[in-house]
């Protein structure tokens, strides 16, 4: 199976909260990341969480980490149409050499 | 501003032709990476380099080649042996420093198509 799994699609109404989920198999990661990709562009780092944390909040973004269940989530509060994009979860699997392992991405569509 | 520049943005390849995608970074990062992105497939690692004059194969290196002669440059050649090269190619860099945070920073990509 995949090292990192995500649902492929999520649709929400503007103003609602979005929750994008990610599960992974390797428990050795030090840092776990969320990236955003807009159409035709590269990936933009949104936020990250250190493995000894359960939660990290950054303005509208909240990252939750459940190490026991190997589950990572990204909550976007007050979702806007500009948040429509593909969101990637990435883990480092404990590598100190810089390599990251990405999920397939979740396409978030925000309806007005 | 510091960043990663990929060129060209669009590239077309004829059958049997090699093409080279450029990636330049001025972030002073040691490590650089090439990914291929196909719809619904996410990112797949082609090659990566941790230091100058050294590089390793990723998960899908067949049909591709790279060089790392300078710290700031990591060009990718898509050879004629790559039978299905149509994809979006992304270059990234990072500065691995042991156990500290080491996110990868990405360029804007090159879209390669077959003529």
């Amino acid at each position: 199976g995949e090292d990192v799994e995500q649902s492929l699609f999520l649709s929400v109404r503007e103003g609602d909260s979005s929750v994008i989920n990610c599960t992974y198999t390797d428990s050795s990661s030090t840092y776990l990341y969320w990236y955003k990709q807009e159409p035709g562009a590269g990936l933009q780092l949104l936020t990250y969480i250190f493995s000894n944390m359960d939660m990290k909040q950054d303005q509208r973004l909240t990252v939750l980490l459940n190490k026991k269940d190997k589950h990572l989530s990204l909550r976007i509060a007050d979702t806007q149409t500009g948040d429509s994009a593909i969101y990637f979860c990435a883990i480092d699997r404990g590598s100190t050499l810089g390599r990251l392992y990405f999920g397939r991405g979740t396409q978030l569509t925000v309806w007005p | 501003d510091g960043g990663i520049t990929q060129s060209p943005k669009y590239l077309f390849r004829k059958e049997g032709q090699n093409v080279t995608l450029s990636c330049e970074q001025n972030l002073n990062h040691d490590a650089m990476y090439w990914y291929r992105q196909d719809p619904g497939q996410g990112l797949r690692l082609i090659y990566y380099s941790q230091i100058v004059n050294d590089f390793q194969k990723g998960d899908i290196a067949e049909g591709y080649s790279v060089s790392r002669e300078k710290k700031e440059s990591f060009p990718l050649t898509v050879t004629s042996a790559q039978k299905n090269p149509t994809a979006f190619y992304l270059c990234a860099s990072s500065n691995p420093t042991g156990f500290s945070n080491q996110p990868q920073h990405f360029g804007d990509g090159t879209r390669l198509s077959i003529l």
Side-chain angles (χ1 to χ4, degrees), chain A:
Chain A
E2 299 285 333
D3 292 326
V4 183
E5 294 198 355
Q6 300 178 239
S7 301
L8 291 183
F9 302 100
L10 176 65
S11 293
V12 300
R13 194 166 296 278
E14 190 174 24
D16 288 349
S17 291
S18 308
V19 180
I20 301 170
N21 294 302
C22 173
T23 57
Y24 53 94
T25 55
D26 192 302
S27 59
S28 59
S29 289
T30 305
Y31 287 93
L32 301 94
Y33 302 89
W34 283 104
Y35 284 86
K36 176 184 180 182
Q37 184 182 35
E38 297 185 357
L43 274 66
Q44 170 195 354
L45 178 68
L46 275 183
T47 188
Y48 63 91
I49 188 166
F50 186 49
S51 57
N52 70 351
M53 298 171 65
D54 298 324
M55 184 181 82
K56 179 180 180 180
Q57 189 150 2
D58 185 359
Q59 299 183 327
R60 292 192 297 125
L61 305 179
T62 302
V63 179
L64 295 178
L65 176 60
N66 182 327
K67 290 184 69 177
K68 174 176 172 290
D69 294 338
K70 297 177 190 170
H71 182 266
L72 181 73
S73 68
L74 174 69
R75 178 178 180 270
I76 305 173
D78 186 26
T79 313
Q80 302 297 308
T81 55
D83 294 323
S84 293
I86 302 176
Y87 291 80
F88 290 93
C89 165
I91 63 174
D92 63 20
R93 291 178 59 180
S95 170
T96 59
L97 303 177
R99 181 169 177 176
L100 295 181
Y101 299 81
F102 289 83
R104 293 189 173 194
T106 299
Q107 172 73 61
L108 173 64
T109 301
V110 183
W111 302 98

Side-chain angles (χ1 to χ4, degrees), chain B residues 36-107:
Chain B
R36 171 180 171 141
Q37 186 178 22
D38 297 280
Q41 294 283 332
L43 274 67
R44 292 185 289 170
L45 183 65
I46 304 172
Y47 269 98
Y48 62 108
S49 166
Q50 289 154 5
I51 55 171
V52 174
N53 293 322
D54 187 46
F55 47 83
Q56 289 80 40
K57 292 182 180 180
D59 301 321
I60 55 164
E62 187 174 348
Y64 300 96
S65 66
V66 293
S67 62
R68 187 86 188 277
E69 296 176 3
K70 299 186 296 182
K71 185 176 184 177
E72 58 270 21
S73 178
F74 191 39
L76 173 74
T77 296
V78 184
T79 74
S80 57
Q82 173 49 246
K83 297 306 178 189
N84 184 23
T86 298
F88 190 51
Y89 291 86
L90 287 162
C91 178
S93 70
S94 72
N95 217 21
T97 53
F99 291 97
S100 65
N101 184 23
Q102 46 186 285
Q104 291 183 12
H105 299 264
F106 284 80

